[in-house]
Amino acid sequence: MQTVLVTGIEPFDGETLNPSWESARTVDGRVIGGARVVARQLPCVIAEVRQALLHAIKEVDPVVVLCLGQAGGRADVSVERVAINVVDARIPDNAGRQPVDEPVIDGGPVAYFSALPIKALVSRLRASGIPASVSQSAGTYNCNAIFYSLLHYIATERPALRGGFIHVPYLPQMAAAHPGAPSMDVGTLIAAIEVMVATTLEVSTDLKEVGGATH
């Protein structure tokens, strides 16, 4: 049976939960679209996260990699379009380090586009009643480092692998400590993962429809 790797990230910035991991760990072992899902937690340590991701990929040997991360303040499932080769950390990571204007990978290209059918994912999520959009920026912190590292690995070592990054909102119990911040419950996030896994396994050519932004 084929496998799909779904990753989440450990809590950071003083939080005790991370919605990406709370949802990813719940689908560990499920069979979706004929593939077995394996979940792995990644650290919020920029200097270590690339090797942790590559170790998980080599251990699991997946056909699809969906990396999830927390985006407090966002209101929907944000399917990321592009990863950039820069780390500019607004806050220290969980090792207390705060790299500024450093490359994710020395000598790597400026950017990579996602290796997921991003617009098909958004379309299927919305059709399932789950708020979703294409995002044009994964930031410049740990999540972008994961995203860029994954796409660099695909481009240089395993071009048949499909993968990308998805940002998700706070959980409701987290948003309660951030008045005014939107949230999404873990059941909806789990349903979103199921839709995205099944869609990626099924869709080989992405939709061509509007998913851009004016700013």
Side-chain angles (χ1 to χ4, degrees):
M1 181 179 290
Q2 292 180 321
T3 58
V4 171
L5 175 63
V6 178
T7 69
I9 304 171
E10 66 184 355
F12 67 95
D13 196 24
E15 303 286 354
T16 59
L17 297 171
N18 188 314
S20 66
W21 178 239
E22 294 305 308
S23 53
R25 69 183 181 88
T26 307
V27 299
D28 184 54
R30 294 192 186 187
V31 175
I32 302 171
R36 183 172 62 92
V37 176
V38 178
R40 291 289 184 270
Q41 187 182 72
L42 299 178
C44 186
V45 179
I46 295 166
E48 300 175 8
V49 74
R50 179 182 176 221
Q51 286 307 121
L53 172 64
L54 296 184
H55 175 78
I57 292 172
K58 291 171 183 177
E59 175 193 11
V60 174
D61 190 28
V63 295
V64 169
V65 181
L66 296 182
C67 295
L68 309 180
Q70 170 186 307
R74 296 200 191 182
D76 62 7
V77 175
S78 300
V79 182
E80 299 295 345
R81 188 194 295 262
V82 60
I84 59 175
N85 192 17
V86 66
V87 179
D88 189 357
R90 182 182 60 81
I91 56 174
D93 65 15
N94 284 355
R97 302 188 186 99
Q98 190 174 1
V100 173
D101 296 343
E102 296 182 6
V104 178
I105 297 177
D106 286 328
V110 170
Y112 289 108
F113 285 115
S114 178
L116 292 175
I118 60 172
K119 293 185 177 180
L121 295 185
V122 169
S123 178
R124 295 281 183 91
L125 287 166
R126 290 175 175 174
S128 300
I130 300 171
S133 64
V134 174
S135 169
Q136 317 305 329
S137 173
T140 56
Y141 192 53
N142 192 64
C143 290
N144 177 72
I146 294 169
F147 190 18
Y148 186 91
S149 296
L150 171 62
L151 297 182
H152 185 75
Y153 174 75
I154 291 173
T156 60
E157 297 191 44
R158 197 169 162 189
L161 182 62
R162 306 182 77 196
F165 198 93
I166 299 95
H167 267 120
V168 298
Y170 284 137
L171 298 171
Q173 58 267 49
M174 299 171 71
H178 301 275
S183 66
M184 188 172 286
D185 68 272
V186 72
T188 303
L189 292 175
I190 291 166
I193 294 172
E194 293 175 337
V195 169
M196 292 188 290
V197 169
T199 301
T200 303
L201 290 169
E202 176 188 340
V203 175
S204 57
T205 302
D206 201 7
L207 301 178
K208 189 168 185 178
E209 60 184 31
V210 174
T214 56
H215 59 278

